[in-house]
Amino acid sequence: MGEVTLTIDNKKVTASEGMTVLEAARNAGIDIPTLCYHEKLKPYTACRLCMVEIESRGRTNLDTACSYPVTANLVVRTRSANIDKIRKTILELMLAHAPDSPILQDYAKEYSANKDHFEKQPSFCILCGLCVRYCNEIKKKNAIDFIDKGVEREISFVPEIASKECWNCRECFPLCPTEYLQATFVLTEALSPSFPTGPDK
Ligand code: SF4
Ligand code: FES
């Protein structure tokens, strides 16, 4: 696989063809905030927090670093007044759902996001899809999925599958940026008579 040279935040960076801007930046020690990215999963582009400015062929566009492929001579900016403003709004919207999420609180400090800016929403899930995609793409179990649509959209374990698979796995738990996943699991466990009472049952 060939290599390309691009510029990220005024720094010349060499990356392999097929890499994304996010991977190239992180390899070069340049941090870009992410919430729905996982190195083992396909790009999902749900959170938009990794938005960067990309200059190519004389035009500047905003795009998601986690999905944008590197090409020769790209010029990328990971911070600007416009990018910071977008990230601040995204974080404030997410904090309305999950004000106690540690990762959201850390990002909120960095981007001066106010957790009380938007009215609180009765959900702790920010729909990053990490749990659903990890179970589907890596574990191939589909024990958890999205249900409903629009503002009602949320995640739910599938009791028939989860009762057999989840106790001895739980690999998706630490991926959740809001810790909602653990709460849902416990709730499902409590409500479903088909759930075992502990590991290895
Ligand atoms: S429960 Fe957590 S990991 Fe799953 S989609 Fe919601 S925020 Fe993401
Ligand atoms: S990390 Fe790129 S859109 Fe979420």
Side-chain angles (χ1 to χ4, degrees), residues 9 22 25-26 29-34 78-79 87 107 110-111:
D9 291 348
L22 176 68
R26 288 193 170 169
I30 299 166
D31 192 38
I32 297 173
T34 61
T78 71
R79 294 293 289 258
R87 288 182 186 155
Y107 282 146
E110 189 170 346
Y111 292 95

Side-chain angles (χ1 to χ4, degrees), residues 121-139:
Q121 303 287 319
S123 153
F124 293 92
C125 177
I126 57 168
L127 304 175
C128 72
L130 283 172
C131 56
V132 173
R133 292 180 293 131
Y134 190 89
C135 193
N136 171 270
E137 291 180 35
I138 307 293
K139 304 301 292 187

